[in-house]
Amino acid sequence: MSSEHDAGSGFSMELSQDLREMRDWIHEFAETVIRPAGSEWDEREETPWPILEQASKIGLYSLDFFAQQWLEPSGLGIPVAFEELFWGDAGIALSLVGTGLAAVAVSANGTPEQMGEWLPLMFGDADDVKLGAFGVSEPDAGSDVAAIRTRAAYHEASDEWVLNGAKSWVTNGGIANVHVIVASVDPALGSRGQATFIVPPGTPGLSQGQKIRKHGIRASHTAEVVLDDVRVPGRCLVGGKERFDLRLARIREGGSAGEQAAMKTFEATRPSVAAMAVGVARAAYEYARDYSVSRVQFGRPIGQTQAIAFMLADMGTAVDAARLLTWRAAWMARQRKPFDHAEGSMSKLVAGETAVRVTERAIQILGGNGYSRDYPVERWHRDAKIFTIFEGTSEIQRMIIGRAATGLDVR
Ligand SMILES: Cc1cc2nc3c(=O)[nH]c(=O)nc-3n(C[C@H](O)[C@H](O)[C@H](O)COP(=O)(O)OP(=O)(O)OC[C@H]3O[C@@H](n4cnc5c(N)ncnc54)[C@H](O)[C@@H]3O)c2cc1C
């Protein structure tokens, strides 16, 4: 077949020139700035503001960069960027991309005016870097998002929404400039009665609760957020009140509500989370591979034993398999193809579990050194575990995939 014919066949596994250049640019930042700082910020358990500033200066931490990658025609902009960032260090990388979840929550369902007003305030600029945060989870509502108790009440006279409740586990919670909060407007309707609200910078009543001390991704700030009579202007309901009222009216009449907003956000971001996990897994695989070639025992490199080489073979294969599922889901999402077989969940499930397994195997290959904090693989293993928990646990992903497979209401 001619190459012209190939080009027209509509299928290619090759990244475009733009994507390759972007990947190499991010990789350089990950290699020279992020990775060398990983251990320090893990120990400090703080948001690495100086690195955010550096990333902002070069345009990497910016609305422009994120928007450009989200809109990249193949859908692979975000997965390619995230894999490289998380290859550098997951905690620091999560600080660099945590704002993305809040940004997606507004851009997936918001009006053009809301995007124009609030997204820039989530990123700030190189002289004054800002963050965004997205709060759904609560102490009694983790996997069961329908159970959230945070309430939003509309006050017609002042055209304001008043939010009351508490959010747990909010990435960037309390330190973000803009918080995006899911609250229940009509509790009787469960998740269908929920809406998403933007809380503008400095709004009285929103405060940080306890900061969580974590097992991994410790350079990413996670905290409770308390909402005590938080009054936000009517225009802060994501998507607008008119659309929301219409939706509620349809539901009350027994019609379909379409997808619930928070779930839509998570579905759209799942391949991105999978790409984060692929980055951590690849880092551990490459590190263990290089170590196995240089570490000599019994007069030969340990990589020359089948025990180690076979482990590496499984690790490398698993990383590539996870990436392929991730790229497929990201491509489908960008082409607006429905995830009929829960392809987004498949990517997140496989990549998350691969990251845990591959980082654990990497520790095994490094032996005692793998267990030491002087080597990065123990940190990467701690970091990897988050990918089977947040944005839907592995069990919840299996539930979604199982439902798609059987058509049954698997619970
Ligand atoms: C570091 C970190 C950052 C986070 N960032 C954010 C954030 O920015 N915003 C946000 O809103 N949330 C965030 N989260 C919350 C995260 O999304 C939840 O932790 C997650 O959804 C799981 O909820 P849970 O912790 O309450 O666990 P639970 O829902 O209590 O689950 C406990 C266990 O039960 C299992 N389980 C529950 N229901 C079922 C079922 N029906 N079938 C089978 N198994 C089930 C789960 O899989 C899990 O193994 C973050 C969490 C962490 C740890």
Side-chain angles (χ1 to χ4, degrees):
M1 260 187 273
S2 74
S3 57
E4 269 169 33
H5 185 85
D6 288 343
S9 68
F11 183 78
S12 167
M13 299 288 289
E14 203 144 50
L15 296 178
S16 68
Q17 175 78 13
D18 282 355
L19 278 175
R20 290 200 304 267
E21 281 170 12
M22 182 274 287
R23 179 195 60 196
D24 296 347
W25 177 62
I26 304 261
H27 185 80
E28 197 194 333
F29 189 79
E31 191 171 32
T32 57
V33 178
I34 298 179
R35 187 171 284 191
S39 170
E40 178 192 343
W41 292 98
D42 173 63
E43 295 286 346
R44 287 173 68 159
E45 298 194 47
E46 285 170 9
T47 299
W49 288 104
I51 296 180
L52 280 162
E53 281 156 18
Q54 226 176 316
S56 179
K57 276 201 181 80
I58 62 166
L60 196 164
Y61 183 76
S62 71
L63 177 56
D64 271 1
F65 177 73
F66 276 76
Q68 204 184 334
Q69 299 316 322
W70 269 111
L71 299 174
E72 198 282 328
S74 71
L76 299 186
I78 290 285
V80 166
F82 282 17
E83 180 177 333
E84 296 311 316
L85 290 170
F86 282 74
W87 175 91
D89 178 77
I92 294 175
L94 197 63
S95 275
L96 285 165
V97 309
T99 297
L101 195 58
V104 172
V106 172
S107 40
N109 304 292
T111 63
E113 293 74 29
Q114 287 173 329
M115 288 185 239
E117 181 169 9
W118 304 109
L119 296 184
L121 295 180
M122 294 184 188
F123 288 90
D125 55 46
D127 298 325
D128 192 12
V129 171
K130 300 291 188 197
L131 297 169
F134 184 48
V136 184
S137 308
E138 297 182 1
D140 295 323
S143 302
D144 183 8
V145 176
I148 66 175
R149 290 191 188 160
T150 296
R151 295 284 174 264
Y154 185 60
H155 290 217
E156 190 128 30
S158 55
D159 182 28
E160 280 178 326
W161 288 93
V162 182
L163 308 182
N164 276 292
K167 294 290 173 185
S168 48
W169 302 111
V170 184
T171 299
N172 298 336
I175 62 169
N177 200 33
V178 179
H179 288 75
V180 180
I181 299 289
V182 176
S184 178
V185 175
D186 187 342
L189 297 177
S191 62
R192 297 181 309 163
Q194 294 169 358
T196 306
F197 297 88
I198 296 154
V199 182
T203 304
L206 184 148
S207 59
Q208 183 185 310
Q210 195 198 340
K211 178 179 168 181
I212 317 289
R213 298 176 63 234
K214 303 193 298 294
H215 176 66
I217 51 162
R218 300 198 306 184
S220 166
H221 170 101
T222 318
E224 296 170 347
V225 169
V226 179
L227 301 141
D228 183 14
D229 271 333
V230 173
R231 307 178 86 85
V232 302
R235 70 180 198 286
C236 289
L237 167 63
V238 174
K241 188 162 184 306
E242 203 174 314
R243 210 167 87 192
F244 183 67
D245 284 345
L246 275 171
R247 191 167 147 246
L248 280 190
R250 258 201 326 270
I251 298 165
R252 288 184 185 123
E253 283 163 13
S256 147
E259 264 185 286
Q260 188 253 352
M263 288 302 102
K264 231 166 126 182
T265 303
F266 286 133
E267 198 55 35
T269 53
R270 253 167 216 153
S272 328
V273 179
M276 301 175 189
V278 171
V280 176
R282 190 185 112 213
Y285 161 68
E286 289 176 359
Y287 201 94
R289 179 198 61 199
D290 296 349
Y291 187 90
S292 79
V293 174
S294 61
R295 172 70 175 168
V296 174
Q297 287 292 278
F298 301 101
R300 57 184 181 154
I302 57 168
Q304 215 174 314
T305 66
Q306 282 195 1
I308 301 291
F310 282 14
M311 258 196 259
L312 285 163
D314 288 344
M315 290 157 73
T317 305
V319 171
D320 276 12
R323 184 185 302 105
L324 286 173
L325 282 176
T326 303
W327 284 11
R328 177 181 70 167
W331 174 82
M332 287 178 73
R334 186 71 185 92
Q335 313 313 316
R336 298 188 172 276
K337 292 188 185 296
F339 287 156
D340 287 338
H341 304 285
E343 287 89 344
S345 291
M346 283 183 184
S347 69
K348 203 272 180 175
L349 172 65
V350 169
E353 301 208 333
T354 295
V356 173
R357 203 168 52 250
V358 168
T359 52
E360 190 273 336
R361 294 285 82 189
I363 293 178
Q364 192 64 24
I365 290 172
L366 267 74
N369 284 338
Y371 203 63
S372 154
R373 288 205 203 169
D374 291 339
Y375 288 77
V377 290
E378 70 80 28
R379 184 174 79 252
W380 295 341
H381 186 48
R382 285 189 284 111
D383 292 343
K385 188 60 194 151
I386 192 58
F387 300 113
T388 67
I389 298 173
F390 72 3
E391 296 224 19
T393 63
S394 285
E395 291 71 32
I396 296 300
Q397 307 304 338
R398 286 193 171 88
M399 203 162 82
I400 296 168
I401 299 164
R403 280 178 189 159
T406 62
L408 299 172
D409 184 18
V410 180
R411 289 178 177 275

